[in-house]
Structure formats: C-alpha cells, structure tokens
Amino acid sequence: MFGNYLIGLREGLEASLVVCILIAYLVKTGRRDALKPIWIGIGVAVGVALAFGAGLEFGSQELTFEAQEALGGSLSVLAVGLVTWMVFWMRRTARHLKAELHGKLDAALQMGTGALVATAFLAVGREGLETALFVWASVRASSDGSYAPLVGVILGLLTAVFLGWLFYRGALKINLAKFFTWTGGMLVVVAAGVLAYGVHDLQEAGFISGLADKAFDISATIPPDSWYGTLLKGVFNFQPDPTVVQVTVWALYLIPTLALFLAPIGSGPSVRVKKQKATDEKAEAEASA
C-alpha cells in the first residue's frame, strides 16, 4: 500500500504543482478571464486519464489469460520506461518548472482561448496518462485481491491535492528539488519491482522463457499471505519465488538507474571535460588579447 501511496503522492503532486503555477500566474497578472479555459483543459485532461485507466482495467478483462499476461507485461515495461524518464526529467527541471510554464502560458494568452485550453490539457494530460499507466501496472503487480493498493493510490492523490492547495495559499514551502530527488529514488525502487512483475507476466504469456527456473524460493520463510510478506509485496512488489530472469532484470535496472539518479547533477565526466575545455579556451583568448 505504501508503494502505491508514494506513486499517487509523487505523480499527483507534479500535476498539482502544474495547476497551481498556471492559476497563480493568471491571478497575479490580472488575467482571471483566462481561468475558465485553463480549468476546461485541466478537466479534459483528468477525464482522458480516467478513461485511459478504465480502458486498461476493463478492456483487459475481456482477453484470454495469455493475452492478459502479454498486455500486462508489455504495459508494465512501458510504464517503467515512462516513469524512469519522468523522474530524471523532473529532477533536472524542478528548479525551472515555473519559468517554463510561465513562458508557455504567455504564448498561449496571445493566441487565444483554444491555445489556453490546449496548454492546460498538455501540461496536465501528460502527467495524467503517465500516472494512469503506472498506477494500473503497480496496482496489478501488488494486488493481493484486496482494495488496499487502490486505496493507497487514492490517498496519495488526495494528499497531493491538499499539498498543492497549501502551496497555492503560500502555507507550505519545501525544497522541491530535494523532494523530487528522494521520492524519485524511492519510485525507482518501486519501478524495479513493477518491471520484474512485468517480466513474469511475459514469461507466463510465453514471450520469455525460464518460467520454471527459480532463482530462489523462500516462501516458507516469508509466506506471501503473512503480514510481513504482504508488506514487502505492497511496498517493493517483493516475490518470494522469483525466476532467474526476474532477478537479473531487477538488478540490471535498479542498480545502474538508482546510481545515476542519485549522482550529483553535472558530475559526469563529459560535463567536466566540457568545463575544462571552456576554461582552456577562455585562457587562450585572454593570452592572445
């Protein structure tokens, strides 16, 4: 449940911040007349995201078992790819998100109502579709037959909306760069579990071999129906009897991705080389002057 709460909180907070920035900018610049198109765009984006999630859930129920596993596994892999891109993108742009949205909104104000609706729809819609896909994949991976995973997501989204409202009112101020870095790191761990579960689905569908090759089986030590087994599954999508392929994919994704994500921004060798080159060129220019 915690893992799904984290997904709802982080994904929902991104969308909430986007909405707050758009609305606050219009209010402060005296363009309240543009609020209606913004809310229309936001409403359409939310509706599309909900319809997309409902389509995934109810559409997959009409398929055969193999088709369900193939679809679930493929979408889980896609969801992990999108979320991985998103957490890296947000980490780089968190400091400049407000300026970027202000620039897009200024351009939309000059173009008219349709542009305002489209700006709000695109700004919120991307977050909504990513959230719907990853939430569906994560809930499917951690579901134990109860409503706990879905409840966790809903609580996370409600918390995100409340925090967004506090940001808008000026009652809450936090370092967004650090917040998105640490929650992004935890989300990478959750994504690794979703990826492993997606690979297992593809194995059950017959797209990947090795379903019978277990890496280990500690079901007797950590029973899946125990409270701690349920906790580990809910937070990390832990499976007590994973296949060799699952463990391999999990490790190959988690270790390098988490290391890259938590590394200081601008600490890569290519960046240092560029800085050194710029310094050398500056020194040469001063010497020839």
Side-chain angles (χ1 to χ4, degrees):
M1 182 172 176
F2 173 76
N4 295 289
Y5 175 82
L6 175 65
I7 294 169
L9 173 62
R10 194 184 189 288
E11 300 292 303
L13 187 57
E14 286 188 29
S16 296
L17 288 176
V18 169
V19 172
C20 290
I21 291 171
L22 293 175
I23 293 176
Y25 184 66
L26 291 176
V27 171
K28 289 181 180 179
T29 55
R31 292 300 307 270
R32 290 180 178 271
D33 58 300
L35 288 176
K36 184 177 179 180
I38 291 296
W39 281 116
I40 291 175
I42 292 171
V44 173
V46 172
V48 169
L50 291 174
F52 179 61
L56 288 174
E57 177 61 25
F58 297 109
S60 62
Q61 294 178 3
E62 303 299 324
L63 302 175
T64 64
F65 174 77
E66 290 77 9
Q68 286 184 9
E69 298 304 293
L71 176 64
S74 300
L75 291 180
S76 294
V77 174
L78 176 61
V80 170
L82 288 175
V83 167
T84 303
W85 172 83
M86 178 270 297
V87 295
F88 277 95
W89 177 83
M90 180 53 74
R91 188 188 174 209
R92 291 195 307 269
T93 60
R95 297 180 179 87
H96 315 295
L97 181 62
K98 182 182 292 187
E100 181 179 331
L101 288 174
H102 285 177
K104 291 180 179 178
L105 197 52
D106 284 334
L109 285 169
Q110 296 177 1
M111 297 175 66
T113 302
L116 287 171
V117 173
T119 298
F121 172 77
L122 293 174
V124 179
R126 180 180 63 83
E127 304 291 346
L129 291 176
E130 287 179 355
T131 302
L133 178 57
F134 193 61
V135 163
W136 179 82
S138 180
V139 168
R140 188 172 185 274
S142 60
S143 179
D144 54 1
S146 70
Y147 291 102
L150 187 58
V151 170
V153 172
I154 293 174
L155 289 177
L157 291 173
L158 291 176
T159 303
V161 172
F162 178 67
L163 291 176
W165 180 77
L166 290 179
F167 277 120
Y168 177 75
R169 303 297 300 179
L172 180 64
K173 293 182 179 180
I174 63 175
N175 188 318
L176 291 179
K178 289 185 177 179
F179 174 83
F180 283 121
T181 295
W182 289 108
T183 56
M186 289 187 284
L187 203 57
V188 168
V189 176
V190 174
V194 173
L195 180 60
Y197 188 88
V199 168
H200 185 265
D201 281 350
L202 292 175
Q203 287 183 299
E204 289 191 324
F207 283 86
I208 300 177
S209 60
L211 183 61
D213 299 328
K214 301 295 183 181
F216 53 82
D217 188 348
I218 54 175
S219 301
T221 305
I222 306 179
D225 56 350
S226 64
W227 69 266
Y228 45 91
T230 303
L231 179 64
L232 288 173
K233 183 175 179 61
V235 177
F236 302 110
N237 292 306
F238 174 78
Q239 183 179 336
D241 58 342
T243 65
V244 173
V245 176
Q246 278 184 274
V247 173
T248 302
V249 169
W250 180 86
L252 289 177
Y253 168 82
L254 179 62
I255 296 173
T257 303
L258 198 58
L260 287 173
F261 183 76
L262 296 179
I265 297 177
S267 62
S270 60
V271 175
R272 292 195 296 271
V273 170
K274 289 180 180 179
K275 288 183 177 180
Q276 184 61 46
K277 183 178 179 180
T279 303
D280 294 341
E281 290 177 351
K282 182 179 180 181
E284 291 177 0
E286 292 177 351
S288 60

